[in-house]
Amino acid sequence: MRKIKYLNRTIMWIILVGYTALLFLLLCTDFYLMMEQNRANRSREAGALSDYVQTLSEEIEKNRLLLYDIHRENENYRALSGSLSDVEKYSNAYELCQTLESQLLIDSDFQGFYLFYDEDTMPMYRLNTERILPDHASKIAEILRNIQKSQNTVKIQRWFPLKVEESVYFALACTQGNVTLYGICEIDAQTAISEGSGREAEIVLWSDGRCLSGEELSDSLEIGQEAERSREQFFY
């Protein structure tokens, strides 16, 4: 009888040890799979971010070259930089806008422009409304108009950010005499990375010590402090 009880206890202990070992093995496997899944997600997100930065860099460079060509070669642009009558100003501004509108139709990377040729009038502008929200057009115009008023000569040598509600845009000014032409480019990293990685991404954008998007996430992770300490910057 004692042998039977001892044998039963032994079997129970073996079962218990085996069950515990199996549970531990399952937990380790689950943890490993979670880690692998996280690594795979991070890898996809990093790849999507890299692809977006590459695409954005190419778009920005194409827009910069277009503005440079207008600045260097367009006769209407050069005429607006001089002293003209109101009729001549409008005529040259209209012709220049027609040229830029044609570029909008044939080049999807060219997202829009704002033309300031008279300090007393609002700018002429056209936007690719598939890339830039129509409701933001007049708001961007007002921001750029305030920039125009804040300095006698706009000499911005690199793209700078504009925030309109929850959207972020880059703008580049090209100035000669009395005329300033701005190129506009949307920054939508969150959509691009979410689509590229297959899951919803949260993005924090910082520029020149200012958080442009993802303020709550930035505050919770104290990203701002790290951004202030980092000296790495990207100019386009």
Side-chain angles (χ1 to χ4, degrees):
M1 194 68 176
R2 289 181 180 179
K3 290 183 178 180
I4 294 175
K5 289 182 179 180
Y6 177 78
L7 181 60
N8 287 338
R9 283 198 298 270
T10 302
I11 293 173
M12 289 296 296
W13 275 107
I14 292 173
I15 294 174
L16 182 60
V17 170
Y19 177 77
T20 303
L22 179 61
L23 182 60
F24 179 76
L25 180 61
L26 289 174
L27 288 174
C28 290
T29 302
D30 186 55
F31 178 77
Y32 173 78
L33 292 175
M34 288 178 60
M35 291 294 293
E36 285 298 305
Q37 182 65 37
N38 287 336
R39 276 195 288 267
N41 289 336
R42 292 300 297 268
S43 179
R44 285 195 297 270
E45 289 170 352
L49 176 59
S50 178
D51 291 343
Y52 178 70
V53 169
Q54 179 66 27
T55 300
L56 180 62
S57 299
E58 292 172 357
E59 287 186 6
I60 285 175
E61 180 62 11
K62 287 180 66 176
N63 280 266
R64 186 191 68 80
L65 291 174
L66 174 62
L67 293 182
Y68 179 74
D69 287 342
I70 294 292
H71 177 80
R72 185 182 60 178
E73 298 179 358
N74 187 272
E75 294 181 358
N76 301 117
Y77 180 86
R78 288 202 300 268
L80 286 168
S81 66
S83 179
L84 300 175
S85 67
D86 290 343
V87 174
E88 291 173 323
K89 286 180 182 178
Y90 181 82
S91 177
N92 280 281
Y94 179 81
E95 291 294 330
L96 177 54
C97 284
Q98 290 294 104
T99 299
L100 292 167
E101 283 182 41
S102 298
Q103 190 67 30
L104 272 174
L105 293 175
I106 64 176
D107 188 353
S108 61
D109 289 336
F110 183 44
Q111 299 182 27
F113 66 89
Y114 286 79
L115 176 64
F116 289 83
Y117 67 94
D118 190 329
E119 62 181 14
D120 296 325
T121 63
M122 289 294 287
M124 289 184 170
Y125 60 86
R126 296 291 186 276
L127 300 173
N128 180 345
T129 54
E130 293 182 0
R131 303 289 298 275
I132 298 177
L133 293 175
D135 292 345
H136 289 177
S138 60
K139 297 176 182 179
I140 295 174
E142 189 61 37
I143 292 173
L144 295 178
R145 183 174 170 81
N146 290 334
I147 292 175
Q148 288 288 119
K149 290 179 178 180
S150 68
Q151 44 196 315
N152 295 327
T153 304
V154 180
K155 292 182 178 179
I156 299 173
Q157 302 300 325
R158 66 181 180 91
W159 292 86
F160 63 96
L162 304 173
K163 183 172 182 180
V164 181
E165 297 175 356
E166 297 303 315
S167 297
V168 179
Y169 303 97
F170 271 5
L172 178 66
C174 186
T175 298
Q176 182 173 319
N178 301 318
V179 60
T180 300
L181 178 63
Y182 287 92
I184 298 294
C185 186
E186 178 201 29
I187 307 299
D188 189 9
Q190 182 162 341
T191 298
I193 296 172
S194 295
E195 292 178 351
S197 64
R199 67 174 193 163
E200 188 66 24
E202 293 185 83
I203 303 297
V204 176
L205 291 177
W206 272 79
S207 178
D208 298 328
R210 182 163 65 103
C211 186
L212 301 174
S213 68
E215 290 89 345
E216 292 184 5
L217 180 60
S218 176
D219 290 342
S220 64
L221 299 179
E222 298 183 347
I223 293 176
Q225 297 180 17
E226 184 63 29
E228 289 295 327
R229 288 194 294 267
S230 175
R231 305 308 303 169
E232 185 177 6
Q233 301 183 42
F234 300 91
F235 297 96
Y236 299 97

